[in-house]
Amino acid sequence: MQEIVVATGNRDKLREIRELLHDLPVRITSLADYWNPVPSIPEMGNTFSENALQKAMWVFGRKGQWVLADDSGLEVDVLGGMPGVRSARFAGEGNGSEANNRKLLELMAEVAPERRTARFKCVVALVTAAKSYFFAEGGCEGMIAFEPRGARGFGYDPLFVPAGFTQTFAELGPAEKHTISHRGKAFEKVRKHLHEILG
Ligand code: IMP
């Protein structure tokens, strides 16, 4: 069975990716299967695509296996698109999601409901050979809530209300999140591509 290494140390992301690809004939592994401790791969790019490719190539260059890398984040309009590619490190290196969410809520404390628009974006890079890349992207429009709600999901999920819903991503179940999420949409394209190349 074809192995694909997912270039992430983020367990929540890995769980979602496994769910999204569960019916494909591939064996999903991750950095934790190859490294202890799990390395933090440098992300120097200014775009999700640059970072996704950088992460995928970092692993491909060392292991020579097929690699998938997801770079994703939240763009908030009133903050000029921040935190964007810095979503994981918004409240500083080493601070977790709670600190990121607190910082976002503080910055938006005075922002009226109609100006709280935002979107999640996800770019996935699949590398199958030294010069063989496939990119897929997905987005999900929504609003930033005034307080965290829900216990599911990860990251900014308790603050993100997808367009057309009243619940946050953290209140929706995984299946519902996957049908509308940035990652769900990007991975639908990855699934189709993998179906084609795996035959
Ligand atoms: P990356 O590992 O550099 O791609 O960082 C992605 C960061 O964006 C995560 O650590 C989260 O903070 C945020 N993020 C990406 N996708 C999601 C999601 O589906 N829900 C909540 N937060 C997300």
Side-chain angles (χ1 to χ4, degrees), residues 9 24 49 79 88 104 113 128 145 148 156 183 187:
L24 283 181
S49 318
L79 301 180
L104 181 58
T128 51
Y156 297 91
R183 187 163 298 103
F187 273 89

mmCIF file of all heavy atoms in Angstrom, residues 9 24 49 79 88 104 113 128 145 148 156 183 187:
data_model
loop_
_atom_site.group_PDB
_atom_site.id
_atom_site.type_symbol
_atom_site.label_atom_id
_atom_site.label_comp_id
_atom_site.label_asym_id
_atom_site.label_seq_id
_atom_site.Cartn_x
_atom_site.Cartn_y
_atom_site.Cartn_z
ATOM 1 N N GLY A 9 3.352 18.017 12.903
ATOM 2 C CA GLY A 9 3.463 17.534 14.260
ATOM 3 C C GLY A 9 2.196 17.892 15.017
ATOM 4 O O GLY A 9 2.086 17.655 16.219
ATOM 5 N N LEU A 24 -9.166 5.915 1.204
ATOM 6 C CA LEU A 24 -8.207 5.734 0.108
ATOM 7 C C LEU A 24 -7.235 4.602 0.455
ATOM 8 O O LEU A 24 -6.901 4.420 1.628
ATOM 9 C CB LEU A 24 -7.403 7.017 -0.109
ATOM 10 C CG LEU A 24 -8.077 8.168 -0.841
ATOM 11 C CD1 LEU A 24 -7.089 9.320 -0.975
ATOM 12 C CD2 LEU A 24 -8.564 7.744 -2.220
ATOM 13 N N SER A 49 0.913 28.616 0.257
ATOM 14 C CA SER A 49 1.491 27.693 -0.740
ATOM 15 C C SER A 49 2.993 27.521 -0.522
ATOM 16 O O SER A 49 3.501 26.398 -0.556
ATOM 17 C CB SER A 49 1.294 28.195 -2.167
ATOM 18 O OG SER A 49 0.027 28.701 -2.342
ATOM 19 N N LEU A 79 -8.431 42.889 10.586
ATOM 20 C CA LEU A 79 -7.011 42.875 10.979
ATOM 21 C C LEU A 79 -6.109 42.809 9.737
ATOM 22 O O LEU A 79 -4.921 42.438 9.840
ATOM 23 C CB LEU A 79 -6.723 41.677 11.899
ATOM 24 C CG LEU A 79 -7.516 41.610 13.207
ATOM 25 C CD1 LEU A 79 -7.134 40.369 14.009
ATOM 26 C CD2 LEU A 79 -7.295 42.876 14.055
ATOM 27 N N ALA A 88 -0.607 29.887 13.751
ATOM 28 C CA ALA A 88 -0.175 28.975 14.829
ATOM 29 C C ALA A 88 0.629 29.723 15.888
ATOM 30 O O ALA A 88 0.655 29.331 17.043
ATOM 31 C CB ALA A 88 0.653 27.830 14.249
ATOM 32 N N LEU A 104 -6.848 37.198 19.866
ATOM 33 C CA LEU A 104 -7.777 37.575 18.796
ATOM 34 C C LEU A 104 -9.015 38.269 19.374
ATOM 35 O O LEU A 104 -9.449 39.317 18.882
ATOM 36 C CB LEU A 104 -8.182 36.323 17.994
ATOM 37 C CG LEU A 104 -9.134 36.543 16.828
ATOM 38 C CD1 LEU A 104 -8.541 37.520 15.817
ATOM 39 C CD2 LEU A 104 -9.461 35.215 16.141
ATOM 40 N N PRO A 113 -20.510 43.392 14.980
ATOM 41 C CA PRO A 113 -20.767 42.084 14.353
ATOM 42 C C PRO A 113 -20.558 42.091 12.842
ATOM 43 O O PRO A 113 -19.939 41.174 12.302
ATOM 44 C CB PRO A 113 -22.237 41.811 14.702
ATOM 45 C CG PRO A 113 -22.486 42.591 15.939
ATOM 46 C CD PRO A 113 -21.581 43.789 15.902
ATOM 47 N N THR A 128 5.369 13.810 -4.849
ATOM 48 C CA THR A 128 5.513 12.368 -5.100
ATOM 49 C C THR A 128 6.873 12.034 -5.719
ATOM 50 O O THR A 128 7.243 10.876 -5.813
ATOM 51 C CB THR A 128 4.402 11.871 -6.046
ATOM 52 O OG1 THR A 128 4.365 12.727 -7.196
ATOM 53 C CG2 THR A 128 3.050 11.900 -5.357
ATOM 54 N N ALA A 145 -16.705 35.018 16.494
ATOM 55 C CA ALA A 145 -17.664 35.158 17.599
ATOM 56 C C ALA A 145 -17.112 36.109 18.675
ATOM 57 O O ALA A 145 -15.956 36.513 18.622
ATOM 58 C CB ALA A 145 -17.928 33.782 18.208
ATOM 59 N N PRO A 148 -15.540 32.261 23.101
ATOM 60 C CA PRO A 148 -15.361 30.881 22.630
ATOM 61 C C PRO A 148 -16.608 30.047 22.927
ATOM 62 O O PRO A 148 -17.216 30.202 23.985
ATOM 63 C CB PRO A 148 -14.177 30.353 23.447
ATOM 64 C CG PRO A 148 -13.674 31.480 24.266
ATOM 65 C CD PRO A 148 -14.652 32.600 24.214
ATOM 66 N N TYR A 156 -8.582 27.787 16.312
ATOM 67 C CA TYR A 156 -9.550 28.887 16.383
ATOM 68 C C TYR A 156 -11.010 28.400 16.250
ATOM 69 O O TYR A 156 -11.916 29.220 16.171
ATOM 70 C CB TYR A 156 -9.258 29.919 15.286
ATOM 71 C CG TYR A 156 -7.911 30.585 15.411
ATOM 72 C CD1 TYR A 156 -6.793 30.063 14.771
ATOM 73 C CD2 TYR A 156 -7.737 31.731 16.187
ATOM 74 C CE1 TYR A 156 -5.543 30.662 14.886
ATOM 75 C CE2 TYR A 156 -6.491 32.340 16.311
ATOM 76 C CZ TYR A 156 -5.403 31.797 15.658
ATOM 77 O OH TYR A 156 -4.165 32.402 15.789
ATOM 78 N N ARG A 183 -10.176 22.787 4.938
ATOM 79 C CA ARG A 183 -9.408 21.553 4.793
ATOM 80 C C ARG A 183 -10.225 20.495 4.058
ATOM 81 O O ARG A 183 -9.698 19.778 3.212
ATOM 82 C CB ARG A 183 -8.984 21.049 6.191
ATOM 83 C CG ARG A 183 -8.045 19.864 6.175
ATOM 84 C CD ARG A 183 -7.332 19.656 7.517
ATOM 85 N NE ARG A 183 -6.505 20.796 7.833
ATOM 86 C CZ ARG A 183 -6.831 21.743 8.731
ATOM 87 N NH1 ARG A 183 -7.938 21.638 9.448
ATOM 88 N NH2 ARG A 183 -6.047 22.776 8.936
ATOM 89 N N PHE A 187 -8.907 18.874 0.628
ATOM 90 C CA PHE A 187 -8.634 17.437 0.595
ATOM 91 C C PHE A 187 -9.564 16.679 -0.346
ATOM 92 O O PHE A 187 -9.233 15.593 -0.805
ATOM 93 C CB PHE A 187 -8.607 16.851 2.012
ATOM 94 C CG PHE A 187 -7.243 16.958 2.615
ATOM 95 C CD1 PHE A 187 -6.878 18.095 3.322
ATOM 96 C CD2 PHE A 187 -6.283 15.970 2.430
ATOM 97 C CE1 PHE A 187 -5.602 18.234 3.841
ATOM 98 C CE2 PHE A 187 -5.005 16.094 2.953
ATOM 99 C CZ PHE A 187 -4.663 17.233 3.653
#
